């Protein structure tokens, strides 16, 4: 598809009114001749921004299991999640699939079904959709299969998660552990017995992490450590080649990552809601201090395009710098140098936004294709 987007305020360095030409899925030089049948979009009054790159989104889980114990077909759920992504301007999505030691929604069979479904459905989805394996580090029996997935190039991102300690601390808090029990389909007693059995192998965990981190490096798969709890923990992961700090739980740990120039991920919902719902650092404050380089949708896709506008309005960052947190920042951290910016030769991932009275996605273009359009009046 050839495409001409005219009259919009284009974010290419700064915001300037310009025309954009797209051909063969990439942004073309400004003097490129387009065929007579090129699709034309009138972006007058709109912002034309790089498409969003979401390194961590697990809202798709609610499309699979909208209520505890109520599941829908994975293909149906992924197609529905794709529409939600595109409506939020997300053109590159890493579905954060948790493979835990627990059965049910985050169990082995679901992880296997999801990786197969993402691979099979990928060509028909609007967003460039990839598999972000959130590996629960106590899931020791999964290591051989994950090693095979990494070697075969099936994993787009590998994150190391450890929710075991939090689960142990929640044993006497039914309000905390209840949701975990519900999604497993186990009784409370059987779930707690499983926790004890899994935790008994804790001495095997560090060596398993090291083997998986080495395999990710060998396969060229970016690796993230999730919820780093201390500067020492971040240093340990750094020594293993795990270079991205995802949701560090305090400012001291965040500064340890920043001091070494490492990408640091916080959640866009944290910005939109005005703080963390778990007592972790406020993402807006981290942005103000230069301690955040990436925002992710986490559990709520619409927060990702909204967060940069909020940060700019509150003076936490310029709009250009804020949008980089959801486009160029994650793209570069994940080695996707063909996207995240608007420049000739780059992948034509674009989002057209009406900024007033509240930011609203008018159109999403992924790989040069118009995949989401809510206002037919921009068709010239």
């Amino acid at each position: 598809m050839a495409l001409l987007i005219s009259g919009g305020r284009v974010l290419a360095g700064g915001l300037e009114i310009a025309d954009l030409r797209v051909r063969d899925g990439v942004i073309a030089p400004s003097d490129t001749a387009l065929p007579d049948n090129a699709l034309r979009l009138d972006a007058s009054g709109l912002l034309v921004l790089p498409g969003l790159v979401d390194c961590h989104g697990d809202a798709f889980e609610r499309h699979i299991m909208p209520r505890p114990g109520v599941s829908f077909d994975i293909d149906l759920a992924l197609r529905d999640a794709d529409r939600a992504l595109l409506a939020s301007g997300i053109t590159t999505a890493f579905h954060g699939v948790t493979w835990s030691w627990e059965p049910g929604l985050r169990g082995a069979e679901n992880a296997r079904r999801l990786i197969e479904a993402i691979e099979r459905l990928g060509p028909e989805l609007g967003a460039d959709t990839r598999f972000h394996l959130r590996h629960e580090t106590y899931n020791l029996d999964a290591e051989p299969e994950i090693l095979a997935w990494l070697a075969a190039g099936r994993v787009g991102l590998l994150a190391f998660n450890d929710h075991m300690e939090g689960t142990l601390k929640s044993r006497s808090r039914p309000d905390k552990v209840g949701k975990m029990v519900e999604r497993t389909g186990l009784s409370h007693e059987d779930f707690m017995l499983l926790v004890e059995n899994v935790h008994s192998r804790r001495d095997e965990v560090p060596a398993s992490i090291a083997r998986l981190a080495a395999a990710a490096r060998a396969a060229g798969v970016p690796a993230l450590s999730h919820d780093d709890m201390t500067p020492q923990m971040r240093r340990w992961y750094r020594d293993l080649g795990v270079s991205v700090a995802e949701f560090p739980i305090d400012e001291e740990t965040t500064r340890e990552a920043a001091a070494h120039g490492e990408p640091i991920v916080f959640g866009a919902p944290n910005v939109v809601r005005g703080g963390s719902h778990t007592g972790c650092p406020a993402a807006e404050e981290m942005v103000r201090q230069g301690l955040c380089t990436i925002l992710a949708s986490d559990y709520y896709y619409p927060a990702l395009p909204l967060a940069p506008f909020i940060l700019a309005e509150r003076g936490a960052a310029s709009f250009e710098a804020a949008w980089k947190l959801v486009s160029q920042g994650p793209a570069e951290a994940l080695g996707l140098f063909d996207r995240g910016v608007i420049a000739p030769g780059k992948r034509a991932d674009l989002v057209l936004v009406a900024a007033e009275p509240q930011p609203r996605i008018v159109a999403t273009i992924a790989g040069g294709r118009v995949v989401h359009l809510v206002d037919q009046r921009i068709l010239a």
Side-chain angles (χ1 to χ4, degrees), residues 92-97 118 127-132 154-157 334 336 338-339:
T92 302
F94 287 84
H95 280 332
V97 180
I118 289 170
D128 181 1
T129 304
R130 305 184 181 208
F131 188 80
H132 170 176
R154 305 183 73 187
V155 177
L157 282 180
L334 305 182
L336 301 175
D338 64 338
R339 66 196 71 189

Side-chain angles (χ1 to χ4, degrees), residues 48-301:
V48 182
L49 309 171
L52 292 95
V53 178
D54 188 14
C55 72
H56 173 124
D58 55 29
F60 72 91
E61 287 187 338
R62 291 198 298 276
H63 296 264
I64 297 173
M65 188 179 287
R67 291 183 177 178
V70 179
S71 298
F72 284 84
D73 175 75
I74 283 182
D75 287 17
L76 173 65
L78 288 178
R79 289 190 180 99
D80 190 39
D82 184 58
R83 290 189 287 272
L85 288 163
L86 299 174
S88 293
I90 297 170
T91 52
T92 302
F94 287 84
H95 280 332
V97 180
T98 301
W99 187 359
S100 179
W101 40 265
E102 61 186 87
L105 179 63
R106 295 185 169 181
E109 287 308 312
N110 203 50
R112 293 172 186 138
R113 286 195 296 266
L114 275 163
I115 196 170
E116 189 276 332
I118 289 170
E119 290 170 342
R120 177 168 39 81
L121 294 177
E124 70 179 74
L125 299 177
D128 181 1
T129 304
R130 305 184 181 208
F131 188 80
H132 170 176
L133 178 57
R134 305 183 66 212
H135 167 61
E136 283 290 336
T137 57
Y138 276 76
N139 189 16
L140 296 165
D141 291 338
E143 184 186 325
E145 192 166 354
I146 295 172
L147 289 171
W149 286 3
L150 288 166
R154 305 183 73 187
V155 177
L157 282 180
L158 176 63
F160 293 99
N161 295 8
D162 177 11
H163 291 112
M164 174 57 74
E165 297 304 320
T167 302
L168 290 170
K169 292 177 182 177
S170 299
R171 284 179 295 185
S172 60
R173 296 279 305 278
D175 57 318
K176 292 288 187 182
V177 79
K179 288 185 178 180
M180 286 185 284
V181 174
E182 285 180 343
R183 72 182 178 224
T184 64
L186 299 175
S187 69
H188 184 272
E189 292 75 16
D190 286 343
F191 178 77
M192 296 317 302
L193 179 61
L194 174 63
V195 170
E196 294 293 342
N197 289 337
V198 171
H199 187 248
S200 69
R201 299 179 64 187
R202 57 190 174 275
D203 291 343
E204 301 174 52
V205 171
S208 176
I209 294 172
R211 288 189 294 269
L212 287 167
R217 288 199 311 276
V221 175
L224 312 85
S225 56
H226 182 80
D227 287 352
D228 285 332
M229 302 184 71
T230 64
Q232 292 78 11
M233 187 175 183
R234 175 86 287 273
R235 288 194 286 271
W236 186 76
Y237 272 111
R238 179 184 304 125
D239 289 342
L240 296 178
V242 180
S243 61
V244 182
E246 184 181 56
F247 307 148
I249 69 163
D250 59 30
E251 185 172 327
E252 183 183 11
T253 305
T254 306
R255 289 190 178 279
E256 170 65 30
H260 288 80
E262 294 169 329
I264 303 167
V265 184
F266 282 103
N270 184 318
V271 173
V272 174
R273 297 182 68 254
S276 169
H277 68 285
T278 59
C280 292
E284 179 182 328
E285 183 57 31
M286 295 298 95
V287 172
R288 287 181 185 276
Q289 296 187 44
L291 299 177
C292 172
T293 61
I294 298 171
L295 290 174
S297 74
D298 199 4
Y299 54 88
Y300 190 62
Y301 297 138

Side-chain angles (χ1 to χ4, degrees), residues 18-41:
D19 294 346
L20 275 184
R21 288 168 168 77
V22 172
R23 193 157 193 177
D24 299 326
V26 300
I27 298 168
S30 60
D31 59 354
T32 298
L34 297 178
D36 292 339
N37 64 351
L39 181 65
R40 297 169 186 269
L41 300 180

Side-chain angles (χ1 to χ4, degrees), residues 354-360:
E356 301 292 343
Q358 185 180 49
R360 178 173 64 94

